[in-house]
Amino acid sequence: MKLNHKLTLSLLTVGILASACSQSNVKKEGDTSSQPVITDEFIKENIDFSVNQYQHLSTLVPEDKLPKTYIKDEDKFVTSGTSWWTSGFYPGTLLYLYEMSGDSSMLRLAEQKLEILEKEKNNEGTHDLGFMLFCSFGNAYRITGNEHYKNVMLQGAASLATRFHPETGLIKSWDHGSWKYPVIIDNMMNLEFLFWASEASGDDKYRNINISHADSTIKNHFRDDYSSYHVVDYDPTTGKVVDKKTHQGKADDSAWARGQSWGLYGYIVMYRDTKNPVYLDQAENIAAFILDHPNMPEDMVPYWDYDAPASDTTFRDASAAALNASALLELSKYTEDKAKAEKYVSAAEKTIISLSSDKYRAKLGQNGGFILLHSVGSLPHDSEVDVPLTYADYYYIEALKRYQDWFLD
Ligand code: GLY
């Protein structure tokens, strides 16, 4: 049964208030004052914790590696080399933490990782250079103004653009597998990097790539209810769709939770940088799919796939929740419909409060030094199931930063 929205929201409020009742920052039921639900103190407590937690994490990461996850049962800290798609999130999180805490040890740790990451600027074998270089060098350049970081990113953007082919009008995601020309919904996240590159270089090429990619993705990735397929495979010579499949979701026609979040975030960025209302509409429709979904749990941390059974034994994905929170805060700034804006902020607040509660936030010194528990990498591959993930931490801290920057004085 699908709950109507008002009922869903009041149930959510009751659920969240119950689970977070020990936190003084939470509004009392019936409190209609305009005090923010999340306070400066709440954010500071979470940032102080995260700085301490990342100090610990930094002691576990070998010099030439980046952290990926931690497997509790095996007490195994898992890392990657620089060419793995998640390599930019750790330095990116450190940079957000530096900005929010002023703790210069966070900056120093980030700078050490930027040194080993720089070589990826020449990597033409991945579509993930946005994640890898914009979350890391992008934040570093924004914070420090160091021109070297700008040059690294311009080279990286040129490498990413080699994966765009006019025959399909899309950036190719993967070179592996038996796919012809696979494009995954995740790829929407790399467009932010290319918008930056157009602005920084004065070359419209990158911006045009983004518009072409995003328009084809609207056409071919989305279903009537605005959920999305994970992988669309194209014929590389004609650009015709060959197949629509999943890779990390429950089924080809299911709604893999993180995929929905990648799409939401991606179309918000498209609107931010073009002001084309088609993209705002797309983002709002994706948000409606997520927020009104009958399987969305009361605490707003989605099950790993919206088509997975809504039950206590179904794994949650804190990474999708963190992405949703960060994305919805931005979406609330663009929508002209006040009720929708309030709905987005309220959902983001509830998500942030849940993720900051004992259920999802690790204890200091545990969880391999990662901040959040309970994410899912790829359940069909039995890989990274119910674990911390470096990108869950990144988007959680980003959501806290956005809330502080945009909603607190
Ligand atoms: N981009 C891969 C993932 O979301 O797992």
Side-chain angles (χ1 to χ4, degrees), residues 70-76 385-387:
Y70 170 72
I71 314 291
K72 189 179 172 200
D73 293 346
E74 302 165 31
D75 189 22
K76 188 171 157 198
V385 178
D386 197 22
V387 294

Side-chain angles (χ1 to χ4, degrees), residues 58-221:
S58 73
T59 65
L60 305 175
V61 193
E63 222 165 276
D64 59 341
K65 300 283 184 206
L66 284 311
K68 272 171 81 177
T69 183
Y70 170 72
I71 314 291
K72 189 179 172 200
D73 293 346
E74 302 165 31
D75 189 22
K76 188 171 157 198
F77 186 77
V78 185
T79 59
S80 76
T82 55
S83 63
W84 183 244
W85 75 276
T86 62
S87 59
F89 292 115
Y90 174 56
T93 308
L94 289 166
L95 287 159
Y96 277 148
L97 290 175
Y98 164 61
E99 245 186 320
M100 294 182 78
S101 69
D103 186 326
S104 57
S105 70
M106 296 286 103
L107 178 62
R108 281 198 301 277
L109 288 167
E111 285 169 344
Q112 284 163 15
K113 293 307 176 191
L114 295 182
E115 271 178 39
I116 61 166
L117 199 51
E118 177 172 337
K119 62 178 178 300
E120 298 307 325
K121 67 187 178 191
N122 298 315
N123 186 346
E124 296 179 3
T126 177
H127 71 136
D128 284 322
L129 288 180
F131 285 132
M132 295 156 67
L133 298 180
F134 199 58
C135 297
S136 54
F137 285 92
N139 279 312
Y141 180 56
R142 184 178 57 76
I143 294 168
T144 67
N146 182 334
E147 287 290 306
H148 178 65
Y149 298 152
K150 177 178 172 181
N151 293 331
V152 170
M153 286 195 287
L154 285 174
Q155 178 56 46
S159 299
L160 175 54
T162 64
R163 300 186 67 79
F164 178 84
H165 299 278
E167 294 80 6
T168 58
L170 289 141
I171 299 166
K172 188 182 181 196
S173 290
W174 295 330
D175 293 338
H176 58 78
S178 54
W179 311 99
K180 291 184 163 55
Y181 193 102
V183 177
I184 63 175
I185 189 67
D186 323 28
N187 205 339
M188 287 299 302
M189 294 298 286
N190 293 304
L191 307 187
E192 188 175 12
F193 181 36
L194 295 184
F195 276 124
W196 172 86
S198 256
E199 188 69 30
S201 66
D203 187 344
D204 269 354
K205 170 177 94 171
Y206 302 111
R207 181 185 171 81
N208 294 336
I209 287 175
N210 282 353
I211 291 168
S212 172
H213 186 96
D215 289 350
S216 293
T217 300
I218 285 187
K219 204 163 122 210
N220 297 321
H221 257 86

